[in-house]
Amino acid sequence: MALLLRLLPLALALALGPAATLAGPAKSPYQLVLQHSRLRGRQHGPNVCAVQKLIGTNKKYFTNCKQWYQRKICGKSTVISYECCPGYEKVPGEKGCPAALPLSNLYETLGVVGSTTTQLYTDRTEKLRPEMEGPGSFTIFAPSNEAWASLPAEVLDSLVSNVNIELLNALRYHMVNRRVLTDELKHGMALTSMYQNSDIQIHHYPNGIVTVNCARLLKADHHATNGVVHLIDKVISTVTNNIQQIIEIEDTFETLRAAVAASGLNTLLEGDGQFTLLAPTNEAFEKIPAETLNRILGDPEALRDLLNNHILKSAMCAEAIVAGMSVETLEGTTLEVGCSGDMLTINGKAIISNKDILATNGVIHYIDELLIPDSAKTLFELATESDVSTAVDLFRQAGLGTHLSGNERVTLLAPLNSVFKDGTPNIDARTKNLLLNHLIKEQLASKYLYHGQTLNTLGGKKLRVFVYRNSLCIENSCIAAHDKRGRYGTLFTMDRMLTPPMGTVMDVLKGDNRFSMLVAAIQSAGLTEMLNREGVYTVFAPTNEAFQAMPPGQLNKLLGNAKELANILKYHIGDEILVSGGIGSLVRLKSLQGDKLEVSSKNNVVNVNKEPVAEADIMATNGVVYAISNVLQPPAIRPQERGDELADSALEIFKQASAYSRAARTSVKLAPVYQRLLERMKH
């Protein structure tokens, strides 16, 4: 039993792991940032912190690693200053801040941290100063002097005109009836204040910023004999309404109010939780075309997606944003939230007109532009906003626009605008049919496509999917950007116009006069049937000029030897389908002859065995054809390889001779066989 008790601490340490045994409890984000500021300031002496100050303001921030190197806050330049870390002070004649601040009561500590205005207003009340100087354990979130000075005059007048009710209540709302340090301030928690037990909302962000009712913590953890003082940058006030109630009472949210009611999201917005609502104003709704707005308002699923795209999963105060960051909405879209000076930005746009409207279940920021997610858009809207607008114009000119704006479940294979840099095709029956073959009959997601899959088009064709190491292709065209999944349709951005297969490899070759000599050679070699049946081939097809460029004697000899001709032609045929978009830098493609072809691509030029092809990606139902300007020759057997083959033969003969040698001594019949093997070994 005694041994067990001695081993128990070791077992617990092993279970908790090295983080618990060596590093102690995990530090909070605020403590990590403070630690980084200490490291940057240590060259100036003990307990010195590096602080970034926005040029032209009194705003200061403890610095993290990224901000230290960028020297910017919200895109604005900063200067580095060095000051005593919280809880320490300078000593004349000594380097750094070696002395801990002497402990005093809360009232006196307010003066130490730079909240003398809070001291002044505490004096004006009859009851609060004795509490702050007396026994107990309290936390006070003390507004800085600048915070008090920035209050509207009418608000400040109402407080100081009734000091023992309004001012006292306001100060008590900044207090908690126990000691609370920053390591206890968790994201999304609520502290009970000393004013009617009203909640104070705490948010502790990954970048180390801590907010109290969206007021930023400036200096934290200043200990007092009867509690702790945290300096904040705003005077905070009680919060009584939830998000839904704020929507209902604000005139600027009339359209939003109707949309929320129609979607059924009012239950979420009046319930428990901590959300951020990027609330579109009436003006934001008026900016989008009436047709689009009416379509979304009349479609419950699209409307719900639209509103969910304006709700973040957690509360985010403006003070927490000091650089760009990605946040996810309830709809699932990622928004880029950033700042430029005092302005907040969403996806790079300064569209937030009013920020940090607190609710009991989160925070509201007013925005003057709708954030319409892809999931609420038509294919036409998705494509118009993308780099495929030329393809959309072709569909419209061909009278196929209804496929892009209706409720048909389709996938659009839309070529990039750059594909049409030399002009667009004329709209005729052939072009219209080609465009229909760029529409797949179902709404797809590229992550579910697989190699060999066939897709049915509205034009009646079957298209094949090819999956390569670094590309995903449909016939000759490869996907060039991430999918955009709309309400009914999905947009695939493609790197070229698609050319559906028009027959077998033999059909393709017979239908092109450039390959008449190759067709004759294939027929002579007996390969016609193979290239007509189902299969997966990559054919490097020599043109007539390629055959005519061969010396006449060599050409006649080749054409006169069916076996050798078949061998040469099989070297031109790969055993899989390789379109140009799947080549990458270099692919070694096994030929039907057995040797490998070296296929490479650089600057949109395909090479086979280091020779450029004349035309790529002529699609067939059983393969793909590349036109080439020379007849490829299989690599000759090198002397070393010939020597290796002879050595292998000799070894095999030796093994056979060894097996027969023993038997030959006792068998008259086997003796001649043994003699013949010995003769072969001599040669």
Side-chain angles (χ1 to χ4, degrees):
M1 184 66 178
L3 178 61
L4 179 61
L5 290 174
R6 287 198 300 271
L7 291 176
L8 184 58
L10 177 60
L12 286 172
L14 292 173
L16 291 172
T21 56
L22 299 178
K27 286 183 168 60
S28 70
Y30 171 83
Q31 291 168 326
L32 290 173
V33 169
L34 183 61
Q35 181 181 26
H36 180 266
S37 290
R38 279 178 173 274
L39 288 173
R40 295 298 180 183
R42 62 185 175 183
Q43 60 181 327
H44 295 273
N47 305 313
V48 174
C49 284
V51 176
Q52 284 186 269
K53 180 182 177 182
L54 273 173
I55 296 175
T57 72
N58 288 322
K59 278 191 163 186
K60 295 180 180 180
Y61 296 82
F62 290 121
T63 178
N64 61 31
C65 189
K66 183 177 180 180
Q67 291 165 355
W68 173 265
Y69 287 108
Q70 291 184 344
R71 293 289 202 273
K72 288 183 183 295
I73 300 289
C74 285
K76 301 298 182 181
S77 297
T78 62
V79 292
I80 303 295
S81 62
Y82 298 91
E83 56 187 52
C84 292
C85 296
Y88 295 91
E89 65 178 353
K90 291 181 176 295
V91 173
E94 295 194 29
K95 188 177 182 181
C97 306
L101 285 170
L103 280 184
S104 54
N105 59 51
L106 281 175
Y107 177 81
E108 292 179 0
T109 304
L110 288 173
V112 173
V113 301
S115 187
T116 54
T117 306
T118 306
Q119 271 185 323
L120 174 65
Y121 289 145
T122 299
D123 280 333
R124 291 194 182 184
T125 66
E126 295 178 0
K127 300 179 181 179
L128 198 53
R129 179 169 179 175
E131 285 186 28
M132 287 191 179
E133 292 179 328
S137 182
F138 307 100
T139 296
I140 180 167
F141 296 102
S144 65
N145 295 338
E146 292 82 1
W148 286 107
S150 65
L151 276 181
E154 62 273 14
V155 174
L156 195 55
D157 288 344
S158 69
L159 292 175
V160 298
S161 63
N162 194 347
V163 293
N164 288 316
I165 297 178
E166 296 295 337
L167 184 58
L168 177 63
N169 291 341
L171 290 171
R172 283 188 178 279
Y173 183 64
H174 289 73
M175 297 179 67
V176 177
N177 197 15
R178 64 184 179 89
R179 187 190 305 265
V180 185
L181 301 175
T182 51
D183 59 357
E184 191 181 339
L185 299 178
K186 307 299 183 185
H187 191 71
M189 74 180 296
L191 294 175
T192 302
S193 77
M194 292 174 61
Y195 169 66
Q196 296 183 351
N197 292 329
S198 299
D199 283 345
I200 302 173
Q201 295 179 15
I202 304 297
H203 294 96
H204 196 150
Y205 299 94
N207 60 7
I209 288 177
V210 180
T211 61
V212 182
N213 280 17
C214 285
R216 181 168 65 93
L217 214 67
L218 301 177
K219 294 181 179 179
D221 295 339
H222 282 274
H223 291 270
T225 55
N226 56 346
V228 63
V229 176
H230 304 291
L231 189 69
I232 58 177
D233 71 346
K234 293 182 182 71
V235 178
I236 61 175
S237 56
T238 55
V239 181
T240 56
N241 291 328
N242 60 45
I243 292 175
Q244 178 62 28
Q245 289 170 328
I246 294 173
I247 292 173
E248 289 174 354
I249 61 178
E250 289 290 333
D251 291 338
T252 191
F253 294 143
E254 182 181 355
T255 309
L256 176 61
R257 186 159 55 245
V260 169
S263 69
L265 281 174
N266 48 319
T267 304
L268 173 74
L269 297 180
E270 65 189 9
D272 294 334
Q274 283 291 305
F275 303 105
T276 299
L277 175 64
L278 304 170
T281 60
N282 295 336
E283 180 186 352
F285 283 98
E286 291 166 2
K287 286 181 179 178
I288 68 171
E291 181 183 354
T292 300
L293 179 59
N294 291 334
R295 176 183 62 78
I296 294 175
L297 292 177
D299 181 342
E301 186 173 333
L303 178 58
R304 194 172 184 86
D305 283 348
L306 171 69
L307 294 177
N308 278 333
N309 199 48
H310 291 75
I311 304 173
L312 307 184
K313 295 180 177 181
S314 63
M316 177 159 293
C317 298
E319 285 292 344
I321 302 167
V322 294
M325 59 194 303
S326 298
V327 294
E328 188 177 357
T329 69
L330 288 186
E331 187 271 338
T333 299
T334 298
L335 301 178
E336 294 298 323
V337 178
C339 53
S340 178
D342 292 331
M343 295 184 299
L344 292 186
T345 61
I346 299 176
N347 295 337
K349 296 181 179 179
I351 60 175
I352 293 179
S353 56
N354 195 4
K355 56 191 178 185
D356 288 347
I357 310 304
L358 276 174
T360 56
N361 56 349
V363 61
I364 299 176
H365 304 294
Y366 294 27
I367 62 171
D368 292 333
E369 188 173 304
L370 272 183
L371 306 171
I372 305 177
D374 289 348
S375 59
K377 295 176 182 176
T378 64
L379 259 178
F380 180 82
E381 290 163 350
L382 289 175
T384 302
E385 298 168 0
S386 305
D387 192 21
V388 294
S389 55
T390 306
V392 174
D393 286 340
L394 287 175
F395 273 88
R396 184 178 49 78
Q397 294 169 27
L400 302 175
T402 54
H403 293 294
L404 307 185
S405 56
N407 57 5
E408 191 176 7
R409 295 283 183 185
V410 292
T411 298
L412 171 63
L413 311 179
L416 287 161
N417 290 339
S418 58
V419 172
F420 305 101
K421 63 181 183 296
D422 296 325
T424 57
N426 295 323
I427 302 299
D428 52 24
R430 181 177 175 276
T431 302
K432 184 173 181 179
N433 189 61
L434 177 61
L435 291 174
L436 284 171
N437 285 320
H438 283 73
L439 284 167
I440 309 299
K441 284 185 177 181
E442 57 184 309
Q443 188 175 14
L444 300 170
S446 62
K447 62 184 177 182
Y448 296 118
L449 298 181
Y450 57 88
H451 192 76
Q453 183 179 3
T454 57
L455 310 173
N456 296 310
T457 73
L458 293 186
K461 291 290 184 181
K462 289 186 179 295
L463 306 179
R464 295 158 297 181
V465 176
F466 305 119
V467 179
Y468 302 105
R469 183 174 296 278
N470 296 311
S471 53
L472 177 60
C473 306
I474 299 172
E475 293 299 334
N476 63 302
S477 185
C478 301
I479 295 176
H482 292 298
D483 311 1
K484 286 183 174 289
R485 187 176 179 86
R487 176 67 179 91
Y488 294 104
T490 297
L491 173 68
F492 286 178
T493 301
M494 312 301 290
D495 67 352
R496 66 198 69 197
M497 283 289 283
L498 187 130
T499 54
M502 303 301 293
T504 66
V505 168
M506 280 307 296
D507 293 332
V508 169
L509 296 177
K510 287 179 179 179
D512 193 326
N513 291 332
R514 293 178 296 173
F515 303 123
S516 58
M517 292 184 70
L518 174 60
V519 169
I522 289 171
Q523 292 169 340
S524 298
L527 301 179
T528 305
E529 182 181 351
M530 180 187 75
L531 296 179
N532 262 327
R533 63 175 181 243
E534 288 187 10
V536 285
Y537 306 115
T538 296
V539 179
F540 295 96
T543 61
N544 295 339
E545 288 78 5
F547 282 105
Q548 292 164 358
M550 295 178 66
Q554 183 182 351
L555 177 60
N556 292 333
K557 181 180 178 182
L558 176 62
L559 296 177
N561 186 335
K563 184 177 180 181
E564 180 62 22
L565 179 61
N567 189 58
I568 289 289
L569 292 177
K570 285 181 178 180
Y571 182 61
H572 288 73
I573 304 172
D575 64 355
E576 61 178 287
I577 296 177
L578 180 63
V579 298
S580 61
I583 292 173
S585 57
L586 177 65
V587 174
R588 300 188 74 224
L589 179 65
K590 185 178 180 182
S591 72
L592 298 186
Q593 176 262 355
D595 287 312
K596 290 186 177 180
L597 298 158
E598 291 192 354
V599 189
S600 61
S601 179
K602 186 176 182 180
N603 299 326
N604 295 320
V605 176
V606 177
N607 293 275
V608 55
N609 290 358
K610 300 182 180 180
E611 294 291 334
V613 304
E615 184 180 351
D617 296 335
I618 308 171
M619 303 308 296
T621 56
N622 58 347
V624 60
V625 175
Y626 291 81
I628 59 175
S629 302
N630 59 303
V631 177
L632 304 175
Q633 298 294 328
I637 298 179
R638 297 188 295 273
Q640 178 62 43
E641 293 175 342
R642 179 64 178 165
D644 291 344
E645 290 178 4
L646 290 172
D648 291 342
S649 298
L651 180 60
E652 184 61 30
I653 294 170
F654 178 78
K655 289 178 180 177
Q656 293 178 30
S658 298
Y660 276 108
S661 64
R662 190 168 188 178
R665 297 185 189 126
T666 58
S667 172
V668 176
K669 291 182 179 180
L670 290 178
V673 176
Y674 178 58
Q675 289 299 323
R676 286 198 296 273
L677 286 171
L678 290 177
E679 289 298 320
R680 289 180 64 190
M681 288 176 66
K682 290 178 183 178
H683 294 289

